[in-house]
Amino acid sequence: HRDLKPGNIMLTKGGAKLLEFGLAKLQAADTPTNLSALPTEQANLTAEGTILGTLQYMAPEQLEAKEADSRTDIFAFGAVVYEMATGKKAFEGKSQASLIAAIMGQEPRPMAELQPMTPELMDWVVKRCLAKEPVERWQTATDLLAGLRKTTEVGTSVDSFPAAAGPPLWRRAMPWSLAGLIAIIAVVGFWILTPPTLQPLRKFVITPPASAPLASFLENGLAISPDGKRIVYLAPTASGGLLYVRSLDELIATPIAGTEGARGNHFFSPDGESVAFFTNDRKLKKVPLMGGTPITLLDTDQEGLTGSWAEGTIVFSQGPLGPGSRIDLYQVSAAGGEPESLAVPITEKGERRYFDPEILPGGKAVLFTIRLDDNSYQTAVLSLETGERKVLLEGGRQAHYAPTGHLVYELFGTGTLMAVPFDLRRLETAGDSVPILQGVRQTPNGWADYAFSGEGTLVYVPGGEGVERRLVWVDRQGKAEFLAAPPRPYDDPRLSPDGLKIALQVEVPDDAWIYDIARDTLSRLTFEGGNLPLWTPDGKWVTFAAGNPPNLFWKSSDGSEAEQRLRENEYVEWPQSWSPDGRALAFVSEHPTSGFDIWILTMEGDREAQPFLQTRFQEHSAVFSTDGHWLAYVSDESGQNEIYVQPFPGPGGKWQISSGGGTEPVWSASGELFFRSGDKMMAVEISTHPTFSPGKPSPLFEGQYGGTGGARAVRADYDITPDGQRFLMVQAQERDTGQINVILNWFEELKRLVPTDN
């Protein structure tokens, strides 16, 4: 056939039909004596040495214009099945040349990484179809059909196929139903895995209705009852969010009355009959699942983040959500009342926030997450009897205890669930951490969308590894055009002075990278931290924050000179903006009493730093005007973040530019000032002669752009071209399907992957 592709396959009531034989090669037997009986063959169409077919599905021998046979079609068949099962093409490229290079020299990603419910044996069968050398593929369609049938036989493993290598030994073969694979692509599928000696794993998918889809908010939107029978998920509404409950043995999700304005990170009562949730108006409420009036447990001026409910007590995290704010642990009666302080971050150890609390069985200890000043994470445990705190894990967050004797947590920034044996009596880990599940969706704030019940049912939202975002040009009308740079967890892009390169932060680990726009190359600049990279005005150096606590460094932009420390301080410092003449660097310093303050580092002489704004309010996001005579910044002195401008170096007055909220100011070369108001990009005409005179802010476009939110809190997460006509921004890459994956009897798999002494 030589042109097998989705466009040539039609699904009819009678089955799949293969169409379009324009490139088919007739295999003639012996030459007949009657010349008129010879098949008509066009040499220019089927001759060896001519590349024929559709590039995306062509086998390597086709690309090299070699002889094609039935094994060429088997390669194309594998590419079609791969695309059908994952929704992604097996081989991709930005150009024909890069696509050909991918087919000739690259292996496609495992299907299970893109669609976690893909049967492993199916992945293996397809990989054999896509072997580069024809001799390594299935040799006939009959062989291929036999391989496909094997995937449906209970107990079958890759060892059943002696002619080919199997998957890694640490992964157990998974005998799934082929019909189930097709069902998941269409709507909802059920699969049954029966490994020897283990209780059967049951896996299926829940797809929320279009009228109440799964929200993609900042917090975790998923919770499961202790008995594993019901899930509660967050759906988006005009007022923010609404909780829905669904029993696993039913097909309908029901809204929970009184949960309007929910924001996520909700949690069940011990009996599974009620759910507690935080609201957008800073309340903690509880409500019965089957109906009833919600009860407000807390009504404060601070934000509640996460909580846990056990035996009449709720432990929760709470604090202001501003830049550098402290988050503490509290406890309150499940009936309501005054909260009691439970634990406060130890600033001397670089601790910033406590959250993700979980009351451990017995009620004598609390598991929780620590966020440090350098934005790294630890999993710790607090004894409620002695007050002792103990760090259990580095780099992990959102940990939960499993009755199997494990801690399950997310390795921050990877979308990978890890497990480690845990001694509940001694409150200590008892072994090494092992990855147990990849591809869990992360919310924009970094929470992993997963939960499991006490009896062993795991629920999670698939979304791929890590948080990926795209670099995008956006014009003043809001028209977006993606750059060629591959999706990565980007933050804080900054154009070089000549506009040819981009300095940006790539998370996990947080390092500074340089993207060459013309050459389409992404190269790493720092290897031990590089937050908020910033070009010097001459383009020779890139400034960034690194260390613990983060301080100011710079490194030559071409990497020819090693990084150099600009400041050494006991407080956190973040680079903000260079003056146009390169003589002054504005930076933010975070002080324990005054919070975020704006300082100026003078680069001449002894490089002394002096405070520019040091008040009891939070000032940050400082940026010099293009003539260097003005400094725009963000302050919350009015009770919310607004944009202000002051003369530099002063003295002089102060002008409020925004009204109704404003963040992320950036100047253009023309003197125009831009800022963000929610998801809106705002523009303000500024006149400085004969006096400073700002115009009225006007919206340009609206869109959800920006990174994790952490960087946006202290500096603009976008840049502009000198003429102010295009904005360089980052946009989240849509990778999740909006579905909820469910695994029953998951503890059996957990015990197999991570044995304990219990």
Side-chain angles (χ1 to χ4, degrees), residues 5-74:
K5 59 185 179 182
N8 286 341
I9 302 172
M10 297 293 291
L11 300 181
T12 70
K13 292 182 179 180
K17 304 295 184 183
L18 186 58
L19 310 178
E20 185 54 66
F21 284 83
L23 298 181
K25 182 174 182 180
L26 251 159
Q27 300 289 345
D30 297 333
T31 304
T33 56
N34 181 1
L35 294 180
S36 64
L38 283 171
T40 301
E41 297 189 52
Q42 298 179 7
N44 64 339
L45 183 64
T46 62
E48 184 176 357
T50 302
I51 297 179
L52 302 172
T54 301
L55 193 59
Q56 200 81 54
Y57 308 93
M58 291 171 67
E61 61 268 23
Q62 283 179 289
L63 297 174
E64 294 179 320
K66 293 181 179 179
E67 181 71 21
D69 57 25
S70 60
R71 295 172 297 182
T72 304
D73 290 341
I74 287 175

Side-chain angles (χ1 to χ4, degrees), residues 271-286:
D271 61 7
E273 297 300 322
S274 299
V275 66
F277 61 98
F278 298 99
T279 66
N280 290 325
D281 56 355
R282 300 179 176 181
K283 293 180 175 64
L284 173 61
K285 298 181 178 182
K286 67 176 182 179

Side-chain angles (χ1 to χ4, degrees), residues 201-224:
L201 286 177
R202 292 186 57 205
K203 304 187 179 186
F204 60 94
V205 171
I206 292 175
T207 303
S211 59
L214 184 68
S216 182
F217 290 165
L218 298 180
E219 281 76 31
N220 182 8
L222 201 57
I224 187 168

Side-chain angles (χ1 to χ4, degrees), residues 410-415 440-444 446-449 464 466-467 735:
E410 193 252 350
L411 189 61
F412 177 66
T414 66
V440 178
R441 182 179 78 169
Q442 287 187 304
T443 71
W447 263 283
D449 259 334
V467 179
R735 294 177 300 154

